[in-house]
Amino acid sequence: MEVEKKEEEKISILLEDLTSLESYSRDLFVFLPLPVCLASSIGIILEANPSFEKISGYKIDESIGTAIEKIFEKREIEKLAKETLEKGFVRSRETNIFTKDKRKVPVSVSTTLRKSAEGEIIGYFIGLFDLTEIKSTENELRQAQTALLNMLEDTEEERRKAEEEKNKTVSIITNFADGLLVFNEEGNLSLINPHAEVFFDVKSRDIIGRSILELSTFPTLATLVSLFKEEIKEIFRKELAIKENLILEVSTIPMVSGEEKLGNLVILHDITREKVIERMKTEFVSLAAHQLRTPLSAIKWALRMLLDGDLGKITDEQRDFVEKTYKSNERMISLINDFLDITRIEEGRYLYKPTLESIENLIQFVINAYKEEIERKNLELDFKKPEKKLPRAVVDVEKIRLVIENLLDNAVRYTPPGGRVTISLRYAEKEKEIEFSIKDTGVGIPKDQQGRVFAKFFRGVNVMRMETEGTGLGLFIAKNIVEAHRGKIWFKSEEGKGTTFYFTLPLKEEFWGFLKEF
Amino acid sequence: MAIELTKDVAKKLMEIKGEVRGVVFGIDGAYVLKEKGKEGLKKVEEELEKLSYPIKYGEIETFNYYPVGLRVLSLLAIKKVFNFDDKKIKEMGFFGTKISVIVKFFIKYVFSPKKAFNAQTSRLWREHWTIGDLIPVELNEEKKYAILRLKNFSLHPIYCKYLEGYFPGPFQLMIKISKMTCEETKCTFRGDEYHEYLIKWK
């Protein structure tokens, strides 16, 4: 009896333990957040947990007894099963499952073989890890990566294009007929082409990256650098004698991209040959003019003597002929004088004799000389002086008078009878300069020819039709004289309505400095 | 199958000798919870209380033994409360094999249907019941059928239907099948000496 009771107690304890164990394993299986199922060796689902129910959409009792390929891709699960049965496990294999509502869910699958106590294979556990979010993130990352790669490709393409452009530009610069220097925004030399290297007898490796100040220490570059002082200034076709037999025409161009300043380009054009030819031409003209002036002077005096009756009385008809000849000779002398002026200007021998003068007096002097001609042509001349007396200016009287004469001569010559010529004078206080203007109601300058007005021998087509006189040298000389006084000369004109010429002269303080150069 | 579930009927059923493991009540409780929720289960428990044989499904011990009459009362109460027909009772049986922890013990033999059928059928029954003998008569995998015979077991006709649902379950775990039927071909309540079930599949 006692033994029976003890056995019953033992059985009771064992039952309780079994129940607790069953409850424990069930709770564990239910709690497990990872989807788990047990498949038989022939691929039937024998057990599934709630997480598996959640991911697959099949109720647990629907899953159990179901063929595993209903949920997994047949080929994939066959491969997994084979590998599991052979190796005993599979770890983290990516595949897809198909839910009850036919959705495809990416999962990572791990398997473990299950054997009976006797060692016979019962099946295998399948653990899943839902990769939906990871895949989604992966996909987003892949898209971002693709976008970045595309951007990188675009950037690379742009870089390649830029490189090509740069190579082209370098090639152009290298092979450019002129010498080129490129200064960056900081004012350091960033490029010099072979022509410029030859001009200055330097090697790019020695000077690249150097500032203007540093470049001034190179003797061959000193003359060029002296143009810029500390920074590159805008220069247009400035002639510069670098050494014997090398004259360069220097221009600078600011390099900008949109509103961004990139630096400065210095263009060096070799004009040595042109200058030699020009000098030879000037020398020839000078020689010819001098040679012509002596016989012309002799003719002038001989004709004068005839006209004055020093050589005997002449008839009216003879006088008329001689007077015409005398005038023609005078025009010839005037032309020769112009030529000589020009050759002097071009040779740099046009000497200036600066004195402090009243510009008003100068103008009045020229007007007086033209009074008769103005009256003869029935022109109205108006000289508008400023209310306040102008300060005197330092000028070469003879040269400035020549400028005013040339301008007034043109105005009178090309204004039809009954027309008006207005001379104005004003003081530009801000610029500290005197501004002269002469306005006429003459024939004007055709628009398509206005660009060549200050060139040598320029004469307007309309003028040539109406007037045979005039050398076309007056304005060229005037421009050179005004610019030699550090002034500016320009004009406004409309064909058939008239022309206004302007020039300015700086006042003495500044000009005295300039005159020291002479 | 008209059932009048009264206290007398209950008392008479409770007088049947024999015991069954608590797992079967777990199956009933889980099925009602799945189909009718907690409220449904409460109604069943109230019905059983009215019969003076209360069952608290949540407190049943899976491996403990309970009177066989109580197992029939549980089924009858569920049928009565929800007016279940035979199809539903069979469905309960089928559901039972899916979640029964004892059936899961049987899983370890699924690698060989023949072996499981011949050697484990009687044992599977014995795991649940102290009365009755389940005999594996024939398993023909080629022709896709099996015959099971249940002797010395005459509990209540409702259980015949329940077993029609229950018996195909283990086969479904052993053999890949798309469709399965089970028919009680012999029944003690129809005058036969034993119950016999013909299970067919495709």
Side-chain angles (χ1 to χ4, degrees):
Chain A
M1 251 336 241
E2 189 65 26
V3 174
E4 237 177 61
K5 199 179 170 188
K6 278 189 177 171
E7 285 302 314
E8 266 182 23
E9 266 179 21
K10 275 186 187 172
I11 289 167
S12 173
I13 289 167
L14 283 172
L15 271 174
E16 271 178 32
D17 287 350
L18 199 56
T19 303
S20 300
L21 193 62
E22 188 266 339
S23 167
Y24 172 77
S25 58
R26 188 181 60 229
D27 288 349
L28 192 66
F29 202 54
V30 166
F31 156 75
L32 201 64
L34 287 179
V36 174
C37 72
L38 173 64
S40 74
S41 54
I42 57 165
I44 296 169
I45 296 175
L46 303 174
E47 182 63 296
N49 74 341
S51 296
F52 187 84
E53 180 179 285
K54 197 175 165 192
I55 195 171
S56 69
Y58 289 101
K59 295 270 178 203
I60 291 172
D61 58 296
E62 284 175 327
S63 303
I64 294 170
T66 301
I68 194 80
E69 57 257 33
K70 194 172 175 184
I71 291 167
F72 288 87
E73 281 176 341
K74 193 169 189 284
R75 217 170 56 185
E76 274 296 315
I77 197 67
E78 277 173 0
K79 236 165 78 182
L80 270 170
K82 189 169 178 278
E83 214 174 311
T84 307
L85 295 173
E86 281 171 9
K87 272 171 54 185
F89 65 88
V90 169
R91 291 286 174 268
S92 305
R93 180 77 46 83
E94 276 190 30
T95 185
N96 294 300
I97 63 162
F98 296 94
T99 63
K100 193 178 177 183
D101 57 2
K102 312 289 180 207
R103 273 187 306 111
K104 195 174 176 179
V105 178
V107 290
S108 168
V109 183
S110 295
T111 64
T112 295
L113 200 62
R114 192 183 178 213
K115 290 181 177 177
S116 69
E118 292 78 26
E120 282 171 305
I121 294 167
I122 296 168
Y124 49 94
F125 279 109
I126 301 172
L128 306 176
F129 184 78
D130 189 348
L131 296 176
T132 309
E133 277 187 29
I134 290 172
K135 286 282 171 191
S136 165
T137 310
E138 206 175 88
N139 197 33
E140 280 169 20
L141 282 172
R142 200 171 291 123
Q143 281 175 351
Q145 188 194 31
T146 308
L148 277 171
L149 280 173
N150 286 341
M151 281 167 69
L152 208 65
E153 262 178 38
D154 291 349
T155 310
E156 180 56 27
E157 179 65 18
E158 288 303 314
R159 193 200 61 76
R160 200 181 56 73
K161 281 183 187 167
E163 187 73 23
E164 258 177 37
E165 281 303 312
K166 188 188 163 194
N167 290 342
K168 272 187 208 166
T169 310
V170 168
S171 176
I172 291 168
I173 289 171
T174 305
N175 296 300
F176 204 64
D178 287 340
L180 294 173
L181 300 171
V182 178
F183 286 88
N184 62 20
E185 205 189 349
E186 287 76 39
N188 298 328
L189 184 69
S190 59
L191 196 145
I192 176 169
N193 75 342
H195 275 86
E197 283 182 313
V198 173
F199 288 159
F200 300 110
D201 194 20
V202 289
K203 290 286 170 200
S204 66
R205 62 171 179 273
D206 299 329
I207 57 171
I208 290 292
R210 292 183 185 266
S211 66
I212 293 166
L213 208 63
E214 287 171 322
L215 292 175
S216 65
T217 61
F218 287 77
T220 55
L221 285 164
T223 316
L224 174 74
V225 174
S226 66
L227 280 180
F228 307 136
K229 301 274 168 48
E230 283 179 3
E231 59 177 32
I232 308 285
K233 290 183 290 188
E234 219 167 302
I235 295 168
F236 182 65
R237 301 178 79 171
K238 170 89 180 169
E239 283 178 21
L240 200 65
I242 300 297
K243 55 188 173 187
E244 202 183 343
N245 297 328
L246 179 61
I247 301 167
L248 298 178
E249 192 178 71
V250 182
S251 298
T252 63
I253 301 170
M255 296 188 297
V256 288
S257 173
E259 288 184 3
E260 190 191 358
K261 195 175 177 208
L262 303 174
N264 286 288
L265 175 67
V266 178
I267 304 168
L268 308 159
H269 182 56
D270 185 355
I271 53 165
T272 313
R273 190 175 150 76
E274 286 94 320
K275 293 306 279 186
V276 168
I277 293 167
E278 199 177 289
R279 196 171 63 242
M280 285 165 71
K281 186 189 75 184
T282 306
E283 280 170 3
F284 169 75
V285 172
S286 175
L287 185 70
H290 275 293
Q291 292 299 318
L292 283 169
R293 204 160 67 163
T294 312
L296 285 173
S297 293
I299 293 167
K300 175 182 166 142
W301 291 118
L303 291 172
R304 189 75 259 163
M305 284 170 79
L306 273 173
L307 286 171
D308 291 348
D310 293 345
L311 301 176
K313 206 171 177 186
I314 54 173
T315 64
D316 288 348
E317 193 182 1
Q318 286 169 332
R319 174 173 295 280
D320 189 41
F321 275 111
V322 174
E323 268 180 356
K324 279 179 182 166
T325 309
Y326 184 83
K327 274 185 187 171
S328 293
N329 192 60
E330 281 292 290
R331 273 172 49 206
M332 189 76 86
I333 290 168
S334 169
L335 180 63
I336 295 297
N337 284 337
D338 280 353
F339 278 151
L340 284 171
D341 279 344
I342 287 167
T343 55
R344 283 191 204 108
I345 287 167
E346 288 179 342
E347 286 174 349
R349 293 188 291 110
Y350 204 53
L351 298 176
Y352 291 84
K353 296 172 194 161
T355 51
L356 200 58
E357 289 296 328
S358 158
I359 301 295
E360 285 166 83
N361 293 346
L362 264 177
I363 296 166
Q364 196 57 59
F365 180 85
V366 176
I367 290 171
N368 292 343
Y370 273 81
K371 230 169 198 171
E372 272 183 41
E373 181 65 13
I374 289 164
E375 278 169 18
R376 195 182 60 77
K377 277 198 84 175
N378 191 26
L379 298 175
E380 198 178 320
L381 187 128
D382 190 12
F383 178 23
K384 290 181 177 170
K385 296 175 191 171
E387 286 175 14
K388 200 176 157 188
K389 198 172 181 190
L390 282 175
R392 287 190 300 166
V394 178
V395 295
D396 181 319
V397 176
E398 208 175 297
K399 305 292 185 300
I400 291 299
R401 194 184 289 156
L402 185 60
V403 171
I404 299 165
E405 264 175 24
N406 283 346
L407 295 176
L408 182 58
D409 188 74
N410 281 348
V412 172
R413 193 187 295 267
Y414 303 123
T415 302
R420 172 187 279 270
V421 175
T422 310
I423 295 174
S424 303
L425 203 55
R426 75 175 187 94
Y427 174 54
E429 203 161 353
K430 194 179 167 194
E431 291 85 6
K432 287 191 176 168
E433 60 189 19
I434 291 168
E435 187 185 289
F436 168 92
S437 71
I438 177 162
K439 184 181 178 183
D440 64 49
T441 55
V443 294
I445 304 161
K447 200 167 184 181
D448 61 337
Q449 294 176 16
Q450 290 185 1
R452 296 189 291 120
V453 161
F454 293 110
K456 268 187 283 186
F457 303 110
F458 168 78
R459 297 194 72 210
V461 176
N462 52 347
V463 160
M464 281 196 284
R465 277 199 296 266
M466 59 177 277
E467 171 73 56
T468 52
E469 286 187 22
T471 61
L473 296 170
L475 288 174
F476 175 79
I477 293 168
K479 181 175 185 284
N480 277 278
I481 292 170
V482 169
E483 285 178 356
H485 282 77
R486 294 281 164 97
K488 285 180 204 161
I489 185 164
W490 71 100
F491 69 95
K492 288 175 189 167
S493 182
E494 197 174 338
E495 198 178 359
K497 287 193 174 175
T499 304
T500 307
F501 273 90
Y502 304 84
F503 73 82
T504 58
L505 292 171
L507 281 177
K508 58 180 180 182
E509 295 90 348
E510 203 181 328
F511 190 51
W512 275 117
F514 152 72
L515 288 170
K516 282 175 191 166
E517 291 172 20
F518 289 93
Chain B
M1 190 168 59
I3 302 286
E4 189 60 40
L5 186 57
T6 61
K7 275 191 176 181
D8 287 342
V9 173
K11 193 181 171 197
K12 206 171 175 186
L13 283 169
M14 288 301 289
E15 283 167 2
I16 301 170
K17 290 205 183 305
E19 287 174 317
V20 66
R21 298 292 275 276
V23 66
V24 297
F25 299 105
I27 291 166
D28 288 356
Y31 185 79
V32 172
L33 270 177
K34 180 171 88 85
E35 293 287 311
K36 305 289 179 185
K38 280 184 183 172
E39 280 303 306
L41 192 63
K42 199 178 163 191
K43 282 180 188 170
V44 175
E45 286 177 347
E46 283 167 1
E47 181 63 28
L48 285 163
E49 202 164 349
K50 277 191 229 165
L51 299 170
S52 305
Y53 296 102
I55 300 174
K56 294 288 178 199
Y57 288 93
E59 292 168 11
I60 293 288
E61 291 178 11
T62 306
F63 298 104
N64 214 338
Y65 286 91
Y66 295 87
V68 291
L70 203 58
R71 203 283 157 268
V72 180
L73 276 181
S74 172
L75 278 180
L76 289 172
I78 290 166
K79 181 179 169 64
K80 184 184 174 185
V81 170
F82 304 116
N83 198 24
F84 278 175
D85 58 9
D86 288 350
K87 195 181 160 196
K88 268 296 196 197
I89 298 299
K90 276 173 82 170
E91 196 179 286
M92 281 181 72
F94 190 67
F95 176 77
T97 48
K98 299 285 183 79
I99 67 154
S100 166
V101 70
I102 291 175
V103 173
K104 290 186 200 319
F105 295 161
F106 174 74
I107 283 168
K108 64 181 179 180
Y109 302 103
V110 298
F111 61 89
S112 167
K114 203 92 178 170
K115 187 177 172 183
F117 183 75
N118 291 330
Q120 302 301 323
T121 302
S122 298
R123 185 180 165 169
L124 181 65
W125 183 263
R126 193 58 61 213
E127 289 272 0
H128 289 82
W129 301 87
T130 59
I131 56 166
D133 299 298
L134 186 66
I135 297 156
V137 178
E138 189 184 356
L139 172 72
N140 192 326
E141 286 183 81
E142 266 182 37
K143 291 183 178 172
K144 298 181 178 176
Y145 73 85
I147 297 169
L148 288 171
R149 189 172 290 159
L150 182 58
K151 284 178 147 183
N152 308 318
F153 190 84
S154 198
L155 205 57
H156 189 280
I158 194 171
Y159 215 73
C160 299
K161 287 295 157 197
Y162 183 85
L163 289 175
E164 268 186 352
Y166 187 87
F167 283 143
F171 288 92
Q172 207 187 27
L173 300 180
M174 292 187 292
I175 308 160
K176 272 189 182 172
I177 42 183
S178 59
K179 199 177 173 188
M180 179 168 274
T181 59
C182 178
E183 187 190 347
E184 190 184 33
T185 52
K186 288 180 180 171
C187 178
T188 54
F189 295 106
R190 293 201 301 258
D192 295 315
E193 272 186 46
Y194 45 80
H195 302 273
E196 197 166 271
Y197 291 88
L198 173 63
I199 300 130
K200 288 185 192 170
W201 61 87
K202 282 181 183 173

